[in-house]
Amino acid sequence: MSKVLYPISKPGPGAVGKTSTWRWQKPVIDLNKCTKCGLCWLYCPEPAFDIDAEGYPVVKYDWCKGCGICYEECPVDAIEMVSEE
Amino acid sequence: MSITSRVKKVLTGNHATAYAVMQARVDVIPAYPITPQTTIVEKLDEFIENGLLDASMIRVESEHSAMAAAIGASAAGARTYTATSSHGLLYMYENLWWAANARLPIVATFVTRAIGPPWNIWSDHQDIFTLRDTGWILFMAKNAQEAYDLTIQAFKIAENPNIRLPVGVGYDGFYTSHTSEPVEMLSQDEVDSFLPDKRAIKPLLDPEHPYTIGNLPDASFNFLIRKNMWSSMESSLDYIRKVGYEYYLLTGRNYGDLVDKYRTDDAETIFVSIGAMANEGIVAVDKLRARGVKVGHMALRLLRPFPTAEVLDVLDGADRVIVFSRALSMGKGGVLFTELADLAYRYHLDIDVYDVVVGLSGVEVVDNDFIKIFRDVSEGVFDNKETIFLLGGKYV
């Protein structure tokens, strides 16, 4: 009998290639306003955020699709969506 | 009360099934009521209420959700069961494919019933044949005893780690589901030792080893998933035989032969049918044999995987097969007919295959229908190029 092949996958970055090409705008973070609350990291559906050694969010632009959820959720308006068109 | 020794009870097909499911000690039953399936899950609910079965009954808002919940439970490693019919089966349809492709060992009962409109609660086989290509292993029982026996075996087949396919046991609405007949049940100890340890079911949802189920792969992986299901289906035949013979040793009821043969050994004409009408075909064989006619009957108890070797063995020596389908492929012919016709072509059988459609929408099929067709085919009234429709003893 052959081994069963399950349709399961381990999560990993970029399974369908760089999703940054889907984007027409990108989030840019003003670190002077950022309070390190982490909500952008939490809400990002990809996830396309890292947290650096000092606790600041860093956007992984290779995977960010530019959806703007982080911009909507940021409680101190530290994120701006900048058009790339 | 729990069944401490072997016992014979007068049961409907639905209650016989419920007893088998209880004795299999299922963990989760997501279910939505639909005639003629409902009395299975009602009985199971009663078993739970009376403390005879330690299972979660999930009362969902639809059949689509019933199978979705079954998928979740089975993916978590629970022994999972549900049942449905007709429009319920169709509403469940998307998730029935999902369960098969995800290789989840769910067991379900499909109590066959026609599809409307017009509204109809009686049995035909259109509903279960929509599952033909999904990847479900499919049985079709002809009476309550077979419904009980096949339900017990279904769990063992589904959970084999080299098979891991959902298994459906079908039988006719009302003819089998609501008709009472004597059913011999195994003792609980016998069922416990016959079935594998349910804790051995490999969970796909495991917090220690997180996976995504059903994520987007490339096309060739998807192709290989289906090819792998094909391979498991093909190789499952050996295991289904093995389980059937084990069950034969235990009970004296032979399931290892995969097809239900009746006086086929020297038969020149073989009737083929499935489900409850097979009983009528068997009566017809006895009546024709009494007149010295060499006929036999074969009930295809296992629809998927198709038991090619067994069917070829039965057809060997016959020169005519008359296939009775209770389901119609519009613009093509009887659904069961195409299965046999394909075999005659592939294996270059020198045999005529006749296509007879009977019993759609629950119209009664009786022994005289088999006899009438036999007589008219023998007299050359029909050739095997046409699809013959017989309704209440008249051609339509």
Side-chain angles (χ1 to χ4, degrees):
Chain A
M1 284 192 181
S2 55
K3 203 165 173 260
V4 170
L5 195 58
Y6 291 97
I8 56 177
S9 48
K10 272 196 192 295
V16 292
K18 287 189 179 177
T19 47
S20 55
T21 57
W22 303 14
R23 189 174 74 214
W24 63 273
Q25 57 174 359
K26 66 176 184 180
V28 175
I29 306 169
D30 181 351
L31 296 184
N32 293 321
K33 288 187 187 170
C34 176
T35 61
K36 307 182 192 177
C37 73
L39 283 180
C40 51
W41 171 83
L42 185 67
Y43 276 94
C44 178
E46 278 312 304
F49 275 92
D50 273 339
I51 301 293
D52 72 12
E54 293 173 50
Y56 285 110
V58 180
V59 181
K60 295 186 280 187
Y61 286 111
D62 279 350
W63 321 122
C64 171
K65 292 174 181 165
C67 71
I69 288 175
C70 55
Y71 161 80
E72 288 290 335
E73 295 297 337
C74 179
V76 292
D77 294 332
I79 298 177
E80 191 187 348
M81 295 306 288
V82 178
S83 174
E84 295 182 293
E85 282 186 319
Chain B
M1 54 180 222
S2 106
I3 300 160
T4 51
S5 62
R6 234 180 248 207
V7 61
K8 205 171 222 182
K9 277 184 176 240
V10 175
L11 296 172
T12 64
N14 278 357
H15 284 180
T17 297
Y19 272 102
V21 173
M22 175 188 78
Q23 289 186 293
R25 300 185 190 276
V26 299
D27 300 304
V28 180
I29 307 167
Y32 191 83
I34 185 166
T35 302
Q37 165 282 124
T38 308
T39 55
I40 303 174
V41 292
E42 275 180 359
K43 193 72 180 170
L44 285 167
D45 218 13
E46 190 184 305
F47 290 146
I48 294 169
E49 288 303 309
N50 293 339
L52 294 171
L53 173 61
D54 181 18
S56 302
M57 172 71 72
I58 306 178
R59 293 170 186 83
V60 286
E61 74 278 24
S62 74
E63 287 87 354
H64 189 273
S65 301
M67 189 45 62
I71 287 166
S74 185
R79 185 170 280 173
T80 307
Y81 171 83
T82 190
T84 193
S85 298
S86 185
H87 289 266
L89 189 156
L90 296 188
Y91 196 15
M92 194 181 265
Y93 198 51
E94 173 188 9
N95 282 332
L96 287 160
W97 284 78
W98 218 102
N101 280 19
R103 311 304 294 266
L104 298 169
I106 297 165
V107 171
T109 304
F110 302 114
V111 185
T112 61
R113 169 184 151 183
I115 294 162
W119 206 236
N120 183 317
I121 58 170
W122 313 111
S123 179
D124 74 24
H125 301 155
Q126 294 290 162
D127 56 357
I128 195 165
F129 272 118
T130 66
L131 298 175
R132 190 187 62 179
D133 305 337
T134 52
W136 279 67
I137 289 172
L138 293 172
F139 287 104
M140 191 70 193
K142 72 175 187 295
N143 56 35
Q145 182 69 63
E146 287 189 4
Y148 172 87
D149 294 337
L150 291 168
T151 304
I152 299 275
Q153 292 171 62
F155 288 98
K156 188 160 178 155
I157 295 161
E159 290 169 18
N160 180 304
N162 293 315
I163 297 177
R164 288 282 303 206
L165 288 167
V167 179
V169 178
Y171 52 81
D172 287 83
F174 298 104
Y175 292 117
T176 305
S177 68
H178 285 63
T179 307
S180 295
E181 51 188 296
V183 176
E184 187 191 60
M185 291 189 282
L186 299 175
S187 73
Q188 185 62 53
D189 285 348
E190 285 176 314
V191 176
D192 287 342
S193 51
F194 184 78
L195 291 184
D197 183 351
K198 64 183 181 180
R199 288 164 301 184
I201 299 172
K202 173 191 162 73
L204 301 187
L205 296 172
D206 180 358
E208 299 302 317
H209 303 94
Y211 284 105
T212 306
I213 307 177
N215 210 339
L216 182 73
D218 65 18
S220 61
F221 182 74
N222 223 355
F223 189 124
L224 289 173
I225 284 274
R226 291 294 284 176
K227 169 59 178 33
N228 182 264
M229 287 169 74
W230 165 266
S231 303
S232 300
M233 264 281 175
E234 288 276 281
S235 57
S236 75
L237 275 166
D238 270 343
Y239 189 68
I240 298 169
R241 280 184 200 108
K242 182 172 175 286
V243 170
Y245 285 128
E246 255 179 67
Y247 200 84
Y248 182 26
L249 289 178
L250 193 62
T251 64
R253 294 187 291 277
N254 185 352
Y255 289 86
D257 287 353
L258 303 189
V259 292
D260 180 64
K261 296 172 281 192
Y262 188 73
R263 302 180 83 165
T264 55
D265 279 353
D266 63 338
E268 291 162 0
T269 297
I270 294 173
F271 297 139
V272 178
S273 76
I274 57 172
M277 66 175 162
N279 302 298
E280 296 295 324
I282 286 167
V283 174
V285 165
D286 281 342
K287 288 187 174 176
L288 287 167
R289 284 271 179 181
R291 296 184 213 162
V293 186
K294 287 184 173 173
V295 295
H297 183 276
M298 171 169 62
L300 285 176
R301 193 155 48 198
L302 179 65
L303 300 173
R304 284 291 180 275
F306 191 84
T308 301
E310 282 80 356
V311 172
L312 287 175
D313 188 50
V314 171
L315 298 188
D316 187 37
D319 51 28
R320 185 196 286 148
V321 188
I322 306 177
V323 186
F324 294 79
S325 300
R326 204 164 199 152
L328 175 62
S329 180
M330 288 297 166
K332 177 61 181 169
V335 177
L336 205 56
F337 163 77
T338 58
E339 307 260 309
L340 274 291
D342 158 78
L343 213 59
Y345 169 74
R346 284 198 191 201
Y347 292 88
H348 307 290
L349 305 182
D350 185 18
I351 201 165
D352 289 325
V353 187
Y354 289 86
D355 181 14
V356 186
V357 174
V358 289
L360 298 182
S361 313
V363 166
E364 196 175 13
V365 181
V366 296
D367 53 358
N368 281 337
D369 293 333
F370 287 80
I371 293 167
K372 181 182 174 65
I373 290 282
F374 174 80
R375 192 187 60 216
D376 291 345
V377 164
S378 301
E379 288 174 4
V381 175
F382 301 106
D383 66 25
N384 60 0
K385 292 185 183 62
E386 57 193 308
T387 298
I388 304 160
F389 291 84
L390 184 64
L391 186 162
K394 291 196 174 69
Y395 296 113
V396 291

